Amino acid sequence: MYRFLRTPRWWGINVFVLLAIPFCVFMGTWQLGKFEDRVDSHREAERRPSASAEKAAPLESLLPVDKETSGRSAQARGRFGEQFLVPDRELDGRTGSYVLTLLRTDGGRSLPVVRGWLPTGAKAPAPPSGEVTVVGALQASENPGTKGVHAAGGLPEGQLGMISAASLVNVVTDDVYDAWITLADSPAGLTPVPAVAAAGTGLDAKAFQNLGYTAEWFVFAGFVVFMWFRLVRREAEASRDEALGL
């Protein structure tokens, strides 16, 4: 009754099943590993002391920004220059703007410094004159996928949609760091902007998406086994009926 399993057609089906099952298991295990990596990164980020609690390190020693240096307390010295507003940024449920000022460092490059958050309609305070030392949480440049980014363009002069060297290169002549810092202590009239977790370290929707893919791949593996048994049973019943002359 099961002689059909030796036919070329069923050899192809059996080979497909033997390859599909370990492939699905491998992909499910890989997605589970990605989720576990995110969990570990999240735990490490939670155990890391806050930027205000640790000693500030020189900016250059923390570059380039990665998962380890993102959020670290960075220190830079220079003179404030051009200032911009980064609109449509939420803080504590309210919409306003980040006040971003370029700090021309002693090394000649400019560092974007978010001095604080400003309510909509309020006037941004002027930056201090003379040489200053700033301390804040180091952050990676934003990209079009970052929450709150206005990537469509068309903003008025003096406003930026994204905090990054790529967005500043078209509006300033300075050589800009591919990073920025947010001050822990903002001047009067501004609210400090909290640092955000580095990309790939938070338990966000994308992390749980990996967990969902894990379940999907294992379901696929079970479905392959189920369909193989179903096809075998149907073929066996057909062979039996044929043998009985039905």
Side-chain angles (χ1 to χ4, degrees), residues 72-234:
R72 290 278 304 275
S73 184
Q75 177 179 293
R77 186 169 180 82
R79 295 175 180 270
F80 280 120
E82 295 179 78
Q83 183 162 279
F84 302 89
L85 292 180
V86 186
D88 301 326
R89 297 302 176 104
E90 290 189 0
L91 185 65
D92 298 331
R94 298 183 298 164
T95 302
S97 302
Y98 291 170
V99 178
L100 184 148
T101 311
L102 291 180
L103 180 75
R104 295 190 177 94
T105 63
D106 296 339
R109 301 174 69 184
S110 289
L111 173 68
V113 177
V114 171
R115 298 197 297 130
W117 177 88
L118 187 73
T120 302
K123 184 178 180 181
S129 58
E131 195 166 37
V132 296
T133 298
V134 297
V135 176
L138 185 65
Q139 301 280 265
S141 288
E142 296 181 334
N143 57 67
T146 304
K147 182 180 179 181
V149 162
H150 188 285
L155 293 174
E157 186 177 355
Q159 293 188 10
L160 289 174
M162 182 168 61
I163 307 174
S164 71
S167 63
L168 284 163
V169 70
N170 297 318
V171 293
V172 298
T173 57
D174 301 358
D175 184 15
V176 181
Y177 282 101
D178 189 21
W180 58 283
I181 66 171
T182 174
L183 299 185
D185 298 318
S186 296
L190 299 178
T191 304
V193 175
V196 298
T201 59
L203 291 180
D204 52 13
K206 189 173 182 180
F208 287 100
Q209 193 176 43
N210 292 128
L211 191 60
Y213 288 152
T214 299
E216 285 183 5
W217 281 112
F218 287 127
V219 168
F220 290 158
F223 181 74
V224 170
V225 175
F226 168 77
M227 288 303 299
W228 184 84
F229 278 107
R230 184 182 177 89
L231 290 174
V232 168
R233 181 179 177 182
R234 188 177 66 177

Side-chain angles (χ1 to χ4, degrees), residues 31-101:
Q31 289 289 351
L32 181 61
K34 296 284 286 184
F35 175 73
E36 290 175 342
D37 288 343
R38 292 291 289 268
V39 172
D40 292 340
S41 297
H42 178 66
R43 288 173 177 170
E44 290 177 6
E46 285 188 327
R47 288 194 296 264
R48 190 176 301 157
S50 62
S52 58
E54 61 180 353
K55 185 178 179 181
L59 173 67
E60 294 289 348
S61 68
L62 300 176
L63 298 177
V65 185
D66 55 22
K67 291 181 181 180
E68 294 297 323
T69 60
S70 179
R72 290 278 304 275
S73 184
Q75 177 179 293
R77 186 169 180 82
R79 295 175 180 270
F80 280 120
E82 295 179 78
Q83 183 162 279
F84 302 89
L85 292 180
V86 186
D88 301 326
R89 297 302 176 104
E90 290 189 0
L91 185 65
D92 298 331
R94 298 183 298 164
T95 302
S97 302
Y98 291 170
V99 178
L100 184 148
T101 311

